[in-house]
Amino acid sequence: MERRPGVAYRRPDGDPTRFVVEAAGEPRLDVDALPRTGWLEATAEADRERLRSALDGETVDVTYRLALGDDDPTWVRERGRSDGSGDVVGYLLPASEGDERRRQLERQRERLEEFASVVSHDLRNPLSVAVGNVELAKEFGGEAADERLDRAHDALDWMDDLISDLLALAREGRSVEETATVDLRSVVDAAWQTAGSGSDATLVVEDSLPWVECDRSRLRQALENLFRNAIEHGAPDDCSPGEVSGAVGGDVGDDGSADASLRVSVGVTADGFYVADDGSGIDPSERESVFEPGRTSADDGTGFGLAIVERIAEAHGWSVSATESRRSGARFEFDGVDVVDGSADPTEADGGDVATGFGGSSTE
């Protein structure tokens, strides 16, 4: 391979987690900051699968984001080939502006294809249901016609929900341009007022949620989607209205637990925060696929709620993952969150949109 600017490297057995520096002749990259192991963990989560796929081929030419220190991820371009023994050898270079722009356009194209697939597939079925029932309603009269029109109306309502989620997914895929230091507790309370009010569930919040650097409205939407997901999928089938406390009531014990059939918890982690519930949980084999657009187990769900959550997290430079809560329910963890020591009045930071406080200390 001809000599060129860049960091010459070797990946033993083509392992995407390992990176052996063989010659460091690239002044634009901090060679000492390049991870020798755990390379995938330093790669932006949205770019990891693309890197894996590139390393599986005979030649490698892939652009992706790499975390080098505490600064924003650096766009790099990796070019190499298999040397015949199973190792991949090549050069790592800083990505040019053209490389970054090209990759951004590729991601936009991928999302357009994703939307086109959903529109052509998922909207066609309810549209057919609506048209068919309207046609039948013309032939019937009285209650039979009303029943057919009701079915058509339900199908159109579902289409409206799907279109709204598609538009939200497109918007949330954009990068965050303006952020502020926000009291996470106030955003959680505001989101619960919207998503959890009137539900048969109780919110349990830690006493000391941190302040975070974020776009408040987009973080609120992510939390609303997670709360709705927990309420729709986590409540036991035999849970009936009146059995549990609502969003503002809630009998919360001294240990922070709530006497409810479904409890939704929010708390802190070492690198961010989590939202969890004590419902039926997510099968381990499905924990990565739950973020795929259009994937849902609910008859009336659009399958875009968690995809929107992931896009909002990525737009902030965070990652979100699904795992199991301590009560065997679902738990969603946000990592890479910029936690700030806030000292301002939360009512000033959030325009006075602060709830009065739900629940107590989290037992999650």
Side-chain angles (χ1 to χ4, degrees), residues 1 39 41 108 131 232 270 277 283:
M1 182 176 295
W39 191 274
E41 285 73 14
Q108 291 176 5
V131 171
E232 292 172 3
D277 62 61
D283 189 276

Side-chain angles (χ1 to χ4, degrees), residues 2 69 103 105 150 158 166 171 188 231 299 330 342 346:
E2 67 181 43
R103 181 55 202 153
L105 290 173
D150 285 342
W158 191 89
L166 278 169
R171 288 194 299 268
V188 168
I231 293 167
D299 293 337

Side-chain angles (χ1 to χ4, degrees), residues 10-66:
R10 176 180 296 273
R11 290 189 184 274
D13 300 320
D15 187 347
T17 67
R18 299 174 63 190
F19 189 88
V20 179
V21 175
E22 297 200 325
E26 178 51 71
R28 295 172 295 172
L29 288 176
D30 184 356
V31 177
D32 293 335
L34 296 175
R36 274 39 173 191
T37 60
W39 191 274
L40 275 182
E41 285 73 14
T43 301
E45 185 173 6
D47 300 338
R48 292 174 188 171
E49 187 56 39
R50 189 169 67 261
L51 175 59
R52 289 193 191 98
S53 298
L55 291 172
D56 285 339
E58 288 296 320
T59 60
V60 179
D61 190 351
V62 58
T63 302
Y64 56 94
R65 290 160 294 177
L66 187 68

Side-chain angles (χ1 to χ4, degrees), residues 33-263:
L34 296 175
R36 274 39 173 191
T37 60
W39 191 274
L40 275 182
E41 285 73 14
T43 301
E45 185 173 6
D47 300 338
R48 292 174 188 171
E49 187 56 39
R50 189 169 67 261
L51 175 59
R52 289 193 191 98
S53 298
L55 291 172
D56 285 339
E58 288 296 320
T59 60
V60 179
D61 190 351
V62 58
T63 302
Y64 56 94
R65 290 160 294 177
L66 187 68
L68 300 176
D70 297 329
D71 296 331
D72 293 335
T74 299
W75 281 93
V76 296
R77 185 176 185 182
E78 182 174 335
R79 303 189 68 180
R81 59 174 174 79
S82 174
D83 68 353
S85 69
D87 292 358
V88 171
V89 295
Y91 288 90
L92 185 75
L93 308 99
S96 66
E97 292 184 6
D99 291 330
E100 294 182 31
R101 179 59 180 163
R102 185 161 49 251
R103 181 55 202 153
Q104 290 169 356
L105 290 173
E106 288 176 0
R107 294 184 70 187
Q108 291 176 5
R109 178 183 57 78
E110 291 168 359
R111 286 175 176 170
L112 283 173
E113 291 177 350
E114 175 184 272
F115 297 152
S117 174
V118 171
V119 169
S120 64
H121 180 271
D122 290 7
L123 286 179
R124 183 171 294 142
N125 183 56
L127 181 60
S128 298
V129 171
V131 171
N133 279 285
V134 169
E135 292 296 327
L136 288 172
K138 293 178 181 179
E139 301 176 7
F140 300 147
E143 293 183 0
D146 291 341
E147 181 182 352
R148 293 295 177 176
L149 290 175
D150 285 342
R151 292 182 184 180
H153 189 271
D154 290 342
L156 293 173
D157 277 345
W158 191 89
M159 289 175 63
D160 183 62
D161 290 341
L162 181 58
I163 291 170
S164 296
D165 282 351
L166 278 169
L167 291 174
L169 192 65
R171 288 194 299 268
E172 303 313 337
R174 299 177 305 192
S175 61
V176 171
E177 297 180 356
E178 293 186 9
T179 64
T181 302
V182 174
D183 178 14
L184 178 58
R185 174 60 188 265
S186 71
V187 186
V188 168
D189 289 348
W192 186 259
Q193 283 182 319
T194 302
S197 180
S199 69
D200 298 323
T202 293
L203 178 67
V204 182
V205 183
E206 279 194 348
D207 288 335
S208 55
L209 291 182
W211 289 62
V212 298
E213 187 73 16
C214 70
D215 181 318
R216 185 182 190 278
S217 63
R218 296 175 77 177
L219 175 57
R220 176 172 173 171
Q221 182 178 9
L223 291 171
E224 287 174 358
N225 285 3
L226 287 176
F227 293 157
R228 290 191 184 100
N229 185 75
I231 293 167
E232 292 172 3
H233 298 277
D237 294 336
D238 59 354
C239 177
S240 60
E243 289 182 336
V244 296
S245 303
V248 185
D251 296 327
V252 181
D254 295 335
D255 62 351
S257 63
D259 184 15
S261 294
L262 178 70
R263 286 165 291 192

Side-chain angles (χ1 to χ4, degrees), residues 318-334:
W318 310 339
S319 64
V320 59
S321 59
T323 183
E324 183 180 35
S325 71
R326 293 181 181 177
R327 295 193 182 93
S328 300
R331 173 172 165 135
F332 295 90
E333 296 183 351
F334 291 81

